Amino acid sequence: MRNLRAVGLLLAGTALLAGSFTAGSRWLTDRDATSEVDGRTDTVPRHEVARSISGHLTLPVILRGPRSVDCAKDLRAVEGARTHCTAHYLRGTDRDMTVRVVRVRHGEITYVRDVPHR
């Protein structure tokens, strides 16, 4: 009876751990975002793009994302438009990435980031 209970606890713990890794992995690989376009400039400001990317690089429970993200320029509301961004981590490590517009619709753009270069 005791062994059966121990095996049950072990299986439940393993399932919980696997689910946590799957959710965290999905969070970090989810690379698209949608933002409103500034009607005056027809762009999404670079600080908004950086904020969105920073949120995607941080796990929801374990806050181990970048300390900051900087983007070179505003993101134009044109499919295929790109900007270069850099994520700055606490250990002094920087990760470069490219952000690209994939859809423009009704005053909003959807953009994706590539996997940060190591």
Side-chain angles (χ1 to χ4, degrees):
M1 184 80 163
R2 245 169 119 192
N3 287 339
L4 189 57
R5 194 175 314 158
V7 169
L9 287 173
L10 180 64
L11 288 175
T14 302
L16 181 63
L17 187 60
S20 297
F21 282 129
T22 301
S25 171
R26 175 67 183 134
W27 180 268
L28 288 176
T29 58
D30 189 16
R31 298 180 304 186
D32 68 329
T34 301
S35 296
E36 288 187 34
V37 175
D38 181 333
R40 293 178 294 120
T41 62
D42 209 28
T43 63
V44 172
R46 64 184 176 192
H47 64 84
E48 167 62 20
V49 176
R51 184 198 60 74
S52 176
I53 290 171
S54 182
H56 281 244
L57 295 174
T58 304
L59 287 171
V61 177
I62 305 167
L63 302 175
R64 297 190 74 184
R67 65 179 159 83
S68 67
V69 175
D70 299 316
C71 295
K73 61 184 180 180
D74 295 345
L75 195 53
R76 293 181 315 136
V78 176
E79 282 188 34
R82 298 171 189 267
T83 190
H84 174 81
C85 298
T86 303
H88 306 281
Y89 290 87
L90 290 176
R91 295 183 182 169
T93 309
D94 292 345
R95 301 283 188 250
D96 295 323
M97 64 195 81
T98 301
V99 176
R100 178 176 46 90
V101 175
V102 294
R103 184 174 52 223
V104 179
R105 188 178 293 163
H106 308 297
E108 291 184 335
I109 66 170
T110 300
Y111 46 97
V112 297
R113 63 172 172 81
D114 62 8
V115 176
H117 309 294
R118 296 200 179 261

